[in-house]
């Protein structure tokens, strides 16, 4: 896309993510995909996050795979292959304002020469039929038939399928496994899986803006603040007006920035700046915990609210929701071997009366 850039456009250093349909083989681990929904395409095939590590901290139910971003670091051999994974709870009641406890983030990275993948890039063609089994990784690690995470609990009757927890085993029993348990064969992926989010490929292109986007927003385009209350002192009115003006400005900036590419679902810019939807609940440096190695974490990418339109999560009552999700990762991308390293997510919701 950058090759077609005109003199009236500039690249911002931000890479935008968009959703496209793809063939299942294109989203397999061997293709090093960036993707949304379905089952995770694990990079390291050992030491997957445990069921306990994937639990929602609010309801203690297992979280479900939301998306992954393939993000190698140029010049860093230990991060030649590098993928970031985001999981979220599917219980709407867990989504309270600015509360990140229903999300989990993990990082996996491998050098170019590793135990799981060829040294050379994968061919851009469909592999031979029957090459993969969704129930087990090439390393021999068994996967949950329902969600695709590490599955250590086998069906006690047929021993053909495994699950990450009793909850997922019970769901799959009702959806399909009850009908097939005593049969000679068992489907690898099962029937229509209502637990998982719809699956998409996450494709990227650089953000390009008109050169005059460096100009500050026209103050006349910002929402005007109207506060009237005889019960408030003048100083309180001034404080509230200033706060609402700043919040309106932040939201206006958000809307203007995404206007050129309204279908973006992700913004990637390692060590860059976040695009907040509100002036409220913006983290300070001390709000972002250090990595377990002791290194500071830095901003890497954010998930946009537009993604919610593709997840089929709307409901008449409460539903899964966010304004934006900012992911922070170890600045050194420290070497954890074949393990999955927990990273940090910051959830910011829209202020009252805001809408994209």
């Amino acid at each position: 896309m950058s090759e077609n850039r005109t003199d009236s456009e500039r690249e911002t250093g931000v890479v935008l993510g968009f959703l496209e349909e793809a063939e299942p083989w294109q989203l397999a681990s061997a293709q090093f995909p960036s993707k949304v929904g379905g089952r995770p395409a694990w990079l390291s095939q050992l030491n997957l996050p445990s069921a306990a590590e994937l639990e929602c901290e609010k309801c203690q139910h297992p979280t479900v795979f939301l998306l992954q971003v393939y993000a190698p670091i140029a010049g860093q051999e230990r991060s030649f292959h590098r993928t970031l994974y985001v999981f979220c709870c599917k219980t709407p009641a867990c989504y309270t304002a600015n509360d990140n406890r229903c999300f989990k983030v993990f990082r996996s990275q491998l050098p170019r020469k590793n135990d799981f993948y060829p040294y050379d890039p994968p061919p851009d063609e469909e592999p031979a039929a029957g090459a993969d089994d969704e129930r087990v990784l090439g390393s021999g690690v068994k996967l949950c038939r329902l969600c695709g995470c590490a599955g250590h609990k086998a069906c006690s009757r047929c021993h053909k399928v495994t699950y990450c927890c009793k909850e997922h085993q019970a769901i799959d029993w009702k959806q399909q496994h009850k009908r097939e348990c005593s049969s000679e064969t068992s489907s690898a992926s099962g029937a229509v899986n209502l637990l998982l989010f719809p699956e998409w490929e996450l494709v990227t292109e650089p953000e390009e803006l008109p050169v005059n986007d460096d100009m500050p927003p026209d103050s006349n385009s910002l929402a005007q603040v109207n506060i009237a209350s005889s019960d408030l002192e003048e100083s309180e009115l001034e404080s509230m007006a200033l706060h609402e003006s700043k919040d309106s400005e932040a939201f206006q900036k958000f809307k203007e920035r995404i206007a050129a590419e309204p279908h973006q679902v992700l913004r990637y810019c390692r060590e860059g700046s976040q695009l907040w939807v509100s002036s409220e609940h913006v983290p300070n440096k001390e709000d972002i915990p250090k990595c377990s190695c002791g290194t500071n974490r830095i901003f890497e990418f954010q998930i946009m609210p537009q993604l919610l339109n593709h997840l089929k999560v709307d409901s008449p009552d409460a539903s899964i929701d966010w304004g934006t999700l900012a992911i922070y990762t170890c600045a050194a991308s420290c070497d954890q071997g074949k393990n999955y390293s927990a990273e940090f997510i910051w959830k910011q919701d829209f202020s009252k009366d805001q809408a994209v």
Side-chain angles (χ1 to χ4, degrees):
M1 182 174 177
S2 59
E3 294 179 357
N4 299 323
R5 180 162 49 95
T6 67
D7 292 339
S8 62
E9 296 177 328
R10 63 178 175 85
E11 291 189 7
T12 64
V14 176
V15 175
L16 304 180
F18 302 90
L19 300 185
E20 285 189 1
E21 294 183 354
E23 295 296 326
W25 68 268
Q26 295 175 306
L27 304 179
S29 296
Q31 298 296 320
F32 308 111
S34 292
K35 64 188 287 284
V36 167
R39 296 173 177 82
W42 298 110
L43 182 61
S44 174
Q45 297 188 17
L46 293 174
N47 306 323
L48 272 57
S50 67
E53 291 174 316
L54 288 166
E55 274 188 359
C56 172
E57 294 177 24
K58 299 190 72 174
C59 67
Q60 282 69 58
H61 290 302
T63 55
V64 175
F65 173 71
L66 177 61
L67 62 78
Q68 64 188 73
V69 177
Y70 182 65
I73 299 177
Q76 191 179 86
E77 174 57 21
R78 66 173 177 269
S79 303
F80 185 87
H81 296 299
R82 180 173 176 270
T83 300
L84 303 170
Y85 298 81
V86 181
F87 294 78
C88 68
C89 183
K90 293 202 74 175
T91 304
C94 291
Y95 287 78
T96 51
N98 302 320
D99 190 341
N100 67 353
R101 291 177 294 165
C102 51
F103 292 91
K104 298 288 182 177
V105 181
F106 295 93
R107 168 173 53 90
S108 177
Q109 59 194 44
L110 296 169
R112 184 170 186 177
K113 185 177 181 180
N114 60 78
D115 296 334
F116 311 121
Y117 306 101
Y119 186 83
D120 295 323
D124 189 19
E125 58 185 23
E126 186 172 2
D132 294 322
D133 186 342
E134 291 181 347
R135 293 172 295 187
V136 61
L137 295 176
S139 62
V141 172
K142 295 181 179 180
L143 302 177
C144 174
R145 206 266 290 265
L146 195 67
C147 72
C149 295
H152 303 296
K153 299 180 183 295
C155 173
S156 59
R157 294 179 62 181
C158 69
H159 302 284
K160 295 177 181 178
V161 294
T162 55
Y163 302 94
C164 63
C165 60
K166 290 183 178 180
E167 181 176 339
H168 283 188
Q169 183 175 7
I171 293 173
D172 191 50
W173 180 259
K174 293 178 180 179
Q175 285 188 0
Q176 182 181 16
H177 192 54
K178 182 178 181 179
R179 299 188 298 273
E180 66 179 15
C181 187
S182 58
S183 65
E184 292 297 323
T185 60
S186 178
S187 169
S189 57
V192 176
N193 192 326
L194 302 178
L195 179 74
L196 303 180
F197 293 115
E199 190 171 39
W200 304 83
E201 183 178 12
L202 188 59
V203 298
T204 59
E205 59 184 52
E207 180 184 47
E208 296 176 350
L209 296 176
V211 293
N212 61 2
D213 268 28
D214 283 328
M215 298 295 291
D218 183 354
S219 59
N220 293 327
S221 69
L222 301 180
Q224 299 299 311
V225 179
N226 294 309
I227 302 176
S229 174
S230 58
D231 297 330
L232 295 176
E233 295 182 1
E234 184 175 351
S235 60
E236 292 177 300
L237 286 171
E238 291 177 352
S239 176
M240 291 177 63
L242 178 61
H243 169 76
E244 293 197 15
S245 178
K246 287 182 177 179
D247 202 50
S248 297
E249 184 174 351
F251 186 50
Q252 185 69 21
K253 178 182 177 182
F254 176 84
K255 292 195 294 183
E256 291 178 351
R257 187 64 178 267
I258 68 173
E261 296 287 359
H263 300 296
Q264 59 185 275
V265 299
L266 183 139
R267 297 175 64 85
Y268 183 95
C269 189
R270 191 167 187 262
E271 296 188 78
S273 299
Q274 308 88 328
L275 182 61
W276 299 114
V277 301
S278 170
S279 63
E280 298 179 352
H281 198 61
V282 174
N284 297 314
K285 184 177 180 180
E286 55 269 22
D287 293 322
I288 309 301
K290 292 184 177 182
C291 177
S292 59
C293 73
T295 304
N296 288 331
R297 285 191 172 98
I298 57 174
F299 170 72
E300 185 147 354
F301 69 91
Q302 69 185 96
I303 301 169
M304 305 295 281
Q306 292 93 317
L307 180 60
L308 292 163
N309 297 327
H310 302 274
L311 299 182
K312 299 182 179 180
V313 294
D314 290 338
S315 66
D317 302 315
S319 64
I320 296 173
D321 198 14
W322 61 74
T324 191
L325 303 170
I327 284 72
Y328 296 82
T329 61
C330 176
S333 200
C334 61
D335 188 2
Q336 299 284 346
K338 298 171 184 176
N339 296 320
Y340 282 75
S341 305
E343 296 291 9
F344 184 74
I345 188 168
W346 184 270
K347 178 175 181 275
Q348 185 194 53
D349 284 295
F350 291 105
S351 298
K352 294 180 180 179
D353 303 324
Q354 286 183 340
V356 178

